[in-house]
Amino acid sequence: MSVELVPVILSGGAGTRLWPASREQHPKQLLAMLGDRTMIQQTAMRLDGLAQQLGGVSLRAPLVICNEAHRFIVAEQLRQAHIKPERIVLEPVGRNTAPAMTVAAQLSCVEGRDPLLLIMPADHVIEDEKKFHGAIAAACALAQQSFIVTFGVVPHRAETGYGYIKKARTLDTHSGAAEVASFVEKPDVATAQLYVGSGDYLWNSGMFLCRASVWLQAANMFRHDIAEACAQAIADGRADMDFFRLAHNAFEACPMDSIDYAVMEPLTRPHAGAVQAGVVPLDAGWSDVGSWDSLWEVHDKDAQGNAMRGDVRALDCRNSLMIAEHRYVAAIGLENIVVVETADAVLVAHRERAQDVKAIVAGLKKEQRTEALTHRKVYRPWGAYEGIDLGNRFQVKRITVNPGASLSLQMHHHRAEHWIVVHGTARVTRGDEEFFLTENQSTYIPLGVVHRLANPGTIPLEIIEVQSGAYLGEDDIVRFQDNYGRRSVDGA
């Protein structure tokens, strides 16, 4: 039987340390943090050319695991990148990486298949793809010998923000593959310097490769509760259009744990069993872009060490990160400072305190502020809407509908709407009527009237929507028909 390799892209993270660019409902893996492609697009496209490096191993389409709230934008971004995944699996709640990998293994071990699984978080940066492909090929050879292989990044500084892997016996002198002696928690500066100086330690990248059956053997050995809950979530799950939904109650009952804590660390203990932990060194310009400081590290910089994106003017600034998404940003005399401007929030922080952004997000959540969850621009399967103004009993939005797409057939109990077309052509359903509107034409949707907005054209439709009423929340929708299988609480 030929050996198959299934890339598994994990896209369930929230990326709170990159707020305000990253929000819970639109996290960093769905953003273009470096270049024109989003991080999940870059992760999937990183597989281009890998098949030629694998020898007798055949490369299959990727399996993607994401939060169900991100399903449509994940699917659309992959489509834009010309990536057709084998399946997109939807998690109803986040349960960390060990359940996600277990689900991938259980879904892959069907009809006699037992592929190799390449576990890749969707929010990493790898600059040298050729070296990455070489490391994957080396890991494939090791994984066929019942190893669960992790990729250990060759450290180039004494980093305290990463966990470390201590190497044991060398298994392959060409690739540097070795047995894992132990996994080490994030060290202090002095300990990190000792680790790097010894040459025996690698950064823990959070990427793994193994046979699906080998992972399931280890998961059942060390975390049978996770394996059992995941199996139940699949058994009670269902196909939904191009997605597979894990059953909510069963997956919610699954314990939260990471791959490292659940399986990899127990594998390094004596008498762990037949499954072993291995590591392949990776020296390919890797970063997990876990904070604004780490983004500065991998970003292109000017002669003064400044990393800038957007409409930014820097005067006498050094070693700073400055990002402008909507406005002109002027900075004077900054050193080692992070400035991030978005439509509804601005972050200013010292680079050494960049990790503390998560405390700001925690405060926003405690105060139930929307800035922790969403941007002013919210993406939907049919396009997007952006809040322009909000006041007492009124709200103004800019709505963009993709060519050939339509909103659900719906009505509202508490608001009426005015629509003005500013670009493209709209097909409007209003009660028993159906008619077309073109640029500079408008219509009124009274409260309680069933309606639908569609774009029959080949260019994006843009309208300005003015809502008025006693309650303007997104949950005031009664949906009668929808092309995307959504419930009323999913929003427009």
Side-chain angles (χ1 to χ4, degrees):
M1 182 184 297
S2 64
V3 180
E4 299 175 325
L5 176 65
V6 176
V8 180
I9 299 175
L10 305 183
S11 183
T16 55
R17 288 178 295 175
L18 286 174
W19 183 91
S22 178
R23 310 283 175 100
E24 187 171 303
Q25 294 183 16
H26 200 89
K28 65 174 179 175
Q29 62 267 26
L30 305 179
L31 302 173
M33 304 301 295
L34 289 166
D36 297 328
R37 294 288 190 179
T38 66
M39 300 194 78
I40 192 172
Q41 288 174 329
Q42 291 177 347
T43 301
M45 296 171 71
R46 197 170 291 142
L47 301 168
D48 291 348
L50 173 60
Q52 288 73 34
Q53 301 290 323
L54 296 180
V57 178
S58 61
L59 181 65
R60 293 184 62 102
L63 186 154
V64 179
I65 301 180
C66 71
N67 188 290
E68 67 177 8
H70 306 150
R71 62 196 185 279
F72 293 116
I73 191 167
V74 166
E76 176 61 17
Q77 288 192 1
L78 293 175
R79 186 196 65 79
Q80 290 175 358
H82 308 290
I83 304 294
K84 186 173 177 56
E86 180 173 295
R87 187 179 292 184
I88 299 178
V89 180
L90 307 181
E91 294 181 323
V93 291
R95 283 297 176 261
N96 214 320
T97 55
M101 186 168 178
T102 303
V103 164
Q106 290 171 340
L107 288 171
S108 298
C109 282
V110 294
E111 299 176 353
R113 291 177 56 199
D114 185 16
L116 301 173
L117 303 179
L118 170 61
I119 307 299
M120 301 188 300
D123 54 2
H124 289 186
V125 168
I126 295 177
E127 296 176 355
D128 192 328
E129 293 182 358
K130 186 174 181 180
K131 287 184 177 179
F132 181 50
H133 293 170
I136 293 171
C140 284
L142 200 57
Q144 293 179 69
Q145 303 172 42
S146 294
F147 278 87
I148 300 178
V149 185
T150 186
F151 296 85
V153 177
V154 178
H156 54 84
R157 65 178 184 275
E159 173 62 54
T160 61
Y162 298 141
Y164 284 71
I165 301 167
K166 185 178 182 181
K167 296 182 290 183
R169 179 173 63 95
T170 298
L171 298 170
D172 180 65
T173 55
H174 176 69
S175 67
E179 292 180 344
V180 175
S182 61
F183 290 84
V184 183
E185 294 292 337
K186 297 175 182 178
D188 57 28
V189 174
T191 305
Q193 290 172 340
L194 290 174
Y195 288 168
V196 175
S198 72
D200 294 330
Y201 291 83
L202 303 165
W203 290 341
N204 189 351
S205 72
M207 296 185 293
F208 303 88
L209 198 154
C210 65
R211 276 202 181 274
S213 61
V214 170
W215 172 262
L216 293 179
Q217 181 182 346
N220 278 292
M221 183 186 310
F222 301 118
R223 291 306 305 264
H224 182 71
D225 53 346
I226 289 178
E228 192 173 56
C230 290
Q232 192 63 51
I234 292 172
D236 295 343
R238 61 183 176 86
D240 179 5
M241 300 173 61
D242 295 330
F243 309 106
F244 182 83
R245 287 181 177 270
L246 298 172
H248 190 286
N249 290 343
F251 198 69
E252 188 175 41
C254 181
M256 296 180 66
D257 210 348
S258 68
I259 293 170
D260 296 287
Y261 285 135
V263 168
M264 298 305 291
E265 290 188 11
L267 281 180
T268 64
R269 299 168 190 159
H271 313 296
V275 180
Q276 302 177 73
V279 60
V280 170
L282 178 65
D283 189 9
W286 171 91
S287 173
D288 70 347
V289 197
S291 69
W292 289 115
D293 187 47
S294 61
L295 181 64
W296 175 85
E297 289 277 356
V298 297
H299 205 289
D300 292 336
K301 305 176 186 69
D302 65 13
Q304 288 72 46
N306 298 312
M308 297 180 286
R309 190 172 76 233
D311 198 4
V312 177
R313 168 74 167 134
L315 179 63
D316 295 330
C317 295
R318 302 286 184 275
N319 301 322
S320 294
L321 174 67
M322 291 163 278
I323 296 175
E325 293 189 356
H326 291 80
R327 300 171 184 85
Y328 178 78
V329 170
I332 303 173
L334 301 184
E335 187 166 353
N336 296 316
I337 297 296
V338 173
V339 179
V340 181
E341 177 274 333
T342 67
D344 60 349
V346 177
L347 169 72
V348 181
H350 197 281
R351 277 181 43 216
E352 292 182 358
R353 299 289 304 277
Q355 298 278 354
D356 294 337
V357 172
K358 59 186 179 182
I360 298 293
V361 177
L364 290 170
K365 288 184 176 180
K366 186 176 181 180
E367 297 167 12
Q368 297 184 331
R369 294 188 57 140
T370 59
E371 291 93 337
L373 303 177
T374 63
H375 291 276
R376 271 186 21 181
K377 188 172 186 178
V378 178
Y379 290 89
R380 293 292 186 224
W382 42 260
Y385 68 84
E386 182 176 1
I388 299 174
D389 196 7
L390 175 65
N392 184 28
R393 296 181 61 90
F394 80 90
Q395 181 171 212
V396 183
K397 292 181 178 180
R398 177 187 291 110
I399 296 177
T400 303
V401 185
N402 297 328
S406 66
L407 283 67
S408 60
L409 183 67
Q410 59 185 252
M411 60 87 70
H412 311 294
H413 288 297
H414 303 289
R415 72 174 184 252
E417 297 172 345
H418 292 262
W419 295 344
I420 304 101
V421 176
V422 295
H423 184 70
T425 299
R427 184 175 66 241
V428 177
T429 300
R430 185 180 61 187
D432 296 330
E433 304 175 85
E434 184 172 288
F435 52 92
F436 292 87
L437 297 177
T438 56
E439 292 179 12
N440 297 320
Q441 293 183 324
S442 63
T443 191
Y444 171 65
I445 310 296
L447 183 151
V449 172
V450 175
H451 59 277
R452 172 175 249 164
L453 176 66
N455 180 2
T458 58
I459 62 173
L461 164 66
E462 294 183 17
I463 74 164
I464 300 298
E465 177 181 85
V466 181
Q467 303 176 355
S468 59
Y471 178 71
L472 305 174
E474 282 300 307
D475 55 349
D476 178 25
I477 294 178
V478 178
R479 184 174 285 116
F480 300 99
Q481 183 183 355
D482 183 64
N483 295 337
Y484 311 103
R486 297 170 301 164
R487 301 165 296 172
S488 291
V489 295
D490 286 335

